[in-house]
Amino acid sequence: MSEKEGEKFLNLLKTDFSMKANLTENEPKLIKYWDEENIYKKILKKNKDGEVKILHDGPPYANGHIHIGHALNKILKDFVCKYHYMRGYHSPYVPGWDCHGLPIELMVRKEEKTQDLVEFRKKCREYAEKFIGVQRDEFKRLGILGDWDDPYKTMSFDYEADILKAFSEIYKKGYINKGRKPIHWCMSCETALAEAEVEYNDHTSPSIFVKFKVNGHKDLYIVIWTTTPWTLPANLAVSLHPNFVYSRVRVDKEEWIVAKELLKQSMTEMEINEYELLEDKLGSAFEGMTYRHPLLEKNCPVILGEHVTLEQGTGCVHTAPGHGQEDFEMGKKYGLEIFSPVDDKGKYTDEYAEMKGESVFHANPVIVEKLGAKGLLIKEKKITHSYPHCWRCHNPLVFRATPQWFIDTLEQNIKNSVLEATAKTGWIPGWGEVRFANMVENRTDWCISRQRSWGVPIPSLICKSCGEEFVDTAFTEQLVERIRKESSDIWFVRELDELAAGKLECPKCKSADIAKGKNILDVWFDSGVSWFAVLEGKMKESVPCEMYLEGTDQYRGWFQSSMWPSVIMRGAAPYKKVLTHGFSLDETGRPMSKSLGNVISPLEVVKKYGAEILRLWVASIDYTEDFRFSYNVLNQMTDAYKNIRNRLRFILMNLADFDPEKDVVPYAEMENLDKWAMKALHDFAASIDDAYDKYEYHRVYHGLIEFLTVTLSALYFDMIKSRLYMNPPRSRKRRSAQTAMHYILTVLLQRISPVLSFTAEETFRFLYKDKESVFLDKWFNIPAEWGEGNEKYKEAFDLRDIVLKELENRRAEKAIGLSLDAAVTIKYKKEEFKDVLELFDLKEFLIVSGVSTLCDPSMQEETRIEVTKSPGEKCTRCWNYRTDLKKGLCSDCAEQIKNWSKEDI
RNA sequence: GGGCCUCUAGCUCAGUUGGCAAGAGCGCGCGCCUGAUAAGCGCGAGGUCAGUGGUUCAAUUCCACUGAGGCCCA
């Protein structure tokens, strides 16, 4: 028989499953298929009675294209959800977008010159809508399944209404308060400015050293330095650093207090040439000391703050809680008034009657003069420094306390409840709990009011006659229902009497002359009540949900902005688990940023490599830490992907004539080697499922690669190839191997589908033309029996390693090439070792032409391996060396060919 | 400056409560095969476990400090 004819009797099957993936072309087709066939909806239907496990999406900001952080975040969420889908949980995934806020306002204002507020808000809405569309397409391109047709948007009418409903509930519980807080203020535009609207330019200010008379000591002064003399009327304290050393020095007939390290520098600046050091003391020793206010008839305290620096001045810091951020924090800490005797136009109010009506910037020389007259001014100079200016009118800004609304996060009961909820939450990784709790402990009040345009209005009312600002809960609740129908625009479109059903009245002076408040809500409040608007509202599910999953920046952001409202309103956290991921760095470990020019766009990756490669990369890394991203690492993923795909293809090829409905061999009748493979499959699946349960996808990736490369490709497939090719197609021996491969493929597809969704679906639909989707497939539970295996497996594989080593030695000597060229003799010392040798068909197990075994109790060593070139001639069909060839065929091959068309052998 | 975190082969990761000469896969080098073939198999070279000091009979593993880096604050 010629070799050509011989191939007729070999199971060398072909497959149309291509080696080349062509991801960039095929992925969009699959996405279209998922879309058109409503696969996501069908998954929900399949699992509708399953246990509820909802991952609640944190809304990205609807602005610009997605970057690698967005991609990673959404892909991780997709892993979580898809594994839930596979395991039968009810896990609807409703993506969302954060729509209000300053960045969109700023973008729109660049192009839009309209002065009309409602028109402007309309443009903002359009802008957000546009980028929701852009980002939705980009996310879908990554293969993420979810309710893309009906996502949540913080600007939808329902959502806006729910924001105010939540506001109202929190207000009724007493956790929303009025307060004051210093902010950047432009007195020529008469408007508040956000940090992003502030531009820093050089500005010349007075630079003055002033001495404050200490009470209870004769001629003792504390020396401060400031560049804003106009804030001195608002001075309420002097801050010292508790751990700095302060010196008491004699200057003329007086004694001054100055930080020791700044003593020389400040004395030079004050042009004091002669002074004498009297004493050094820690700043903490001065706590409780009081001094006489330099301008007003009152006494003020010396307080301690870590914010004090030794960069300039005297180390004794003039503190006006109404006019500086740190001063404000200190004021809060020490219970000082947030005092700011300055009005919208930048003029002193009657709280500083002495200069009422005077503009603060014109006040500087006057204040300096007053200090001089009192003998408190030590030195005045001019200083040119970087100073905040208005980005629109370019005038210098002031920092000034204004009325604001706060959520009271300092109230001890609620803080304790938040800490309790924190302890009950599962933080992944575990250190998240410490980080979150620290932030809860140390945070300040949550200021929820913004003096902006694009957002949900705070439904506060202002009494025109007495100036009282207040919230009327009945009115708020009417407003909620109006907003649900007409959007929050009605606040700006309608007059107050159109909005209020009944009569409004000032709770303080009973006046009925009321106006609408002018503040909108912080967007963190918008997204912070998404559990209320989306989980409870839109989805009709309950809180807490299974998981929030975001970057580590959200410990301060969304995790907190969600936690506080939820604890106040529901007495518990909105989530059972919080999982966080790190940030993307470039190849050298620097953060990815536009300014560094080291950004790799996920869109570019998808275009060049395919989303599957990106998904595989996400699975490969330990995302809990920051991760490096580069084309280098993507190329590695491409290689890994090819490996996976080829192994799938090999299985498909060998299953081309296998129908699981008819051809499956019962476990009990399977070959031992195939049973071993089922044991390996069982163990593999158990470890993969454990990794999925713990959200450790890099273990999924590494476990998968290890299983495919070592267990399957290098061991199992290599060993069974001959059996698959040589035995009659329907023979039990061959069907046994195919049965194993069939189960391997089934388990593999289910395990890779959350990560390699495209490839899993492609393979699944290639295999089962009549089935819809791998995600709708029933979960295959691996029989526990398969995991039992045999304790002697390990000994057999240890023996195999030794034999292979010996084969390699012969190969190096050029005695053999293919391992089938060899014959092996195994000598063993202990009789019991026979059991190990009888476990498998040794010729198949070792892939050699002949194996002989011999027990020799007199041997020193346990086993001895001898490898020789196999005697006989090479069989043209099975390539074994045999001594019984007839016409080039060995007797086994002759037998197999004889039985070729018989069934069930 | 503060809170939290990271640093193991070129890359991505393992290394349970301190204990055999620190492992895997990929990549790289060399070889085999040509019935998984723009595939498959084998072998090999790569690490002062960021650095220093300490605790201990023994430290990649515990402690302290230093360095590099990240997120969030100030």
Side-chain angles (χ1 to χ4, degrees), chain A residues 164-165 167-168 171-172 457-462 470-483 490-492 494-505 514-517:
Chain A
L164 279 199
K165 207 171 156 190
F167 174 90
S168 183
Y171 181 84
K172 278 193 277 186
I458 290 182
S460 70
L461 301 166
I462 297 166
F470 61 98
V471 169
D472 180 313
T473 52
F475 168 73
T476 304
E477 276 156 30
Q478 293 162 17
L479 187 66
V480 165
E481 293 319 311
R482 293 290 297 270
I483 286 175
I490 57 162
W491 180 260
F492 306 94
R494 308 281 177 184
E495 294 303 322
L496 193 50
D497 52 13
E498 294 178 85
L499 293 172
K503 233 183 157 48
L504 295 169
E505 186 182 85
I514 309 291
K516 290 178 288 188

Side-chain angles (χ1 to χ4, degrees), chain A residues 115-127:
Chain A
Q115 294 297 308
D116 182 72
L117 182 57
V118 176
E119 178 64 19
F120 179 72
R121 282 171 52 94
K122 188 170 161 241
K123 296 286 179 195
C124 289
R125 184 173 285 276
E126 286 167 7
Y127 185 93

Side-chain angles (χ1 to χ4, degrees), chain A residues 539-821:
Chain A
M539 296 172 75
K540 311 277 182 248
E541 301 284 354
S542 62
V543 167
C545 70
E546 181 69 15
M547 172 177 281
Y548 279 31
L549 191 170
E550 307 296 333
T552 52
D553 53 339
Q554 300 305 329
Y555 282 107
R556 175 151 293 271
W558 193 50
F559 302 148
Q560 272 206 67
S561 71
S562 300
M563 178 67 109
W564 290 90
S566 175
V567 168
I568 293 169
M569 292 165 68
R570 296 287 179 270
Y575 33 68
K576 290 181 193 155
K577 292 177 189 156
V578 171
L579 188 149
T580 60
H581 62 250
F583 277 73
S584 56
L585 309 173
D586 70 8
E587 196 156 20
T588 60
R590 297 174 305 170
M592 279 202 177
S593 72
K594 273 183 198 158
S595 55
L596 284 170
N598 56 358
V599 174
I600 299 177
S601 162
L603 307 169
E604 202 177 306
V605 173
V606 166
K607 215 163 133 193
K608 281 187 189 159
Y609 295 81
E612 200 78 317
I613 301 302
L614 193 63
R615 298 177 67 95
L616 192 59
W617 167 74
V618 171
S620 78
I621 57 166
D622 177 358
Y623 59 80
T624 60
E625 296 162 22
D626 294 339
F627 36 82
R628 296 181 180 204
F629 189 61
S630 65
Y631 282 109
N632 216 356
V633 97
L634 283 172
N635 289 332
Q636 187 176 329
M637 285 305 121
T638 306
D639 288 336
Y641 177 79
K642 283 182 191 161
N643 278 340
I644 296 165
R645 189 177 176 88
N646 260 312
R647 270 121 211 195
L648 290 175
R649 182 171 176 274
F650 180 74
I651 299 174
L652 289 172
M653 204 152 81
N654 283 290
L655 288 178
D657 68 340
F658 184 82
D659 178 356
E661 297 287 316
K662 291 185 293 200
D663 299 329
V664 159
V665 174
Y667 178 75
E669 292 166 32
M670 284 170 86
E671 294 286 298
N672 271 351
L673 187 61
D674 302 331
K675 285 183 176 172
W676 166 80
M678 294 302 90
K679 157 81 174 152
L681 181 67
H682 170 278
D683 294 351
F684 160 74
S687 100
I688 295 294
D689 293 346
D690 182 62
Y692 270 117
D693 287 338
K694 292 175 177 150
Y695 316 101
E696 294 171 359
Y697 305 111
H698 62 291
R699 277 180 54 215
V700 172
Y701 169 84
H702 284 282
L704 174 71
I705 297 284
E706 167 97 11
F707 182 66
L708 287 172
T709 307
V710 180
T711 311
L712 295 184
S713 201
L715 296 176
Y716 184 59
F717 291 167
D718 216 26
M719 294 189 269
I720 61 169
K721 268 194 277 191
S722 182
R723 177 145 54 94
L724 285 164
Y725 298 159
M726 301 300 154
N727 283 283
R730 286 172 291 259
S731 61
R732 201 204 91 253
K733 279 189 172 183
R734 178 158 181 272
R735 290 304 194 207
S736 172
Q738 285 181 307
T739 299
M741 292 182 103
H742 163 71
Y743 287 131
I744 287 168
L745 184 61
T746 301
V747 169
L748 273 177
L749 288 184
Q750 296 196 331
R751 296 312 185 288
I752 67 170
S753 62
V755 175
L756 296 171
S757 302
F758 294 104
T759 305
E761 190 73 304
E762 179 192 356
T763 311
F764 185 82
R765 302 205 55 236
F766 176 87
L767 202 57
Y768 307 108
K769 311 282 188 228
D770 55 330
K771 291 191 186 178
E772 273 193 292
S773 170
V774 69
F775 299 110
L776 297 171
D777 197 27
K778 192 166 179 297
W779 184 254
F780 175 70
N781 286 308
I782 297 172
E785 184 189 15
W786 296 7
E788 285 162 18
N790 187 309
E791 60 198 4
K792 295 205 163 54
Y793 284 157
K794 190 181 180 303
E795 281 184 78
F797 277 87
D798 288 346
L799 174 73
R800 187 176 188 273
D801 283 344
I802 302 170
V803 173
L804 256 50
K805 195 88 183 169
E806 203 52 39
L807 285 168
E808 187 58 28
N809 289 340
R810 291 295 94 72
R811 190 172 287 130
E813 293 161 8
K814 301 282 176 193
I816 59 165
L818 210 61
S819 67
L820 277 178
D821 297 350

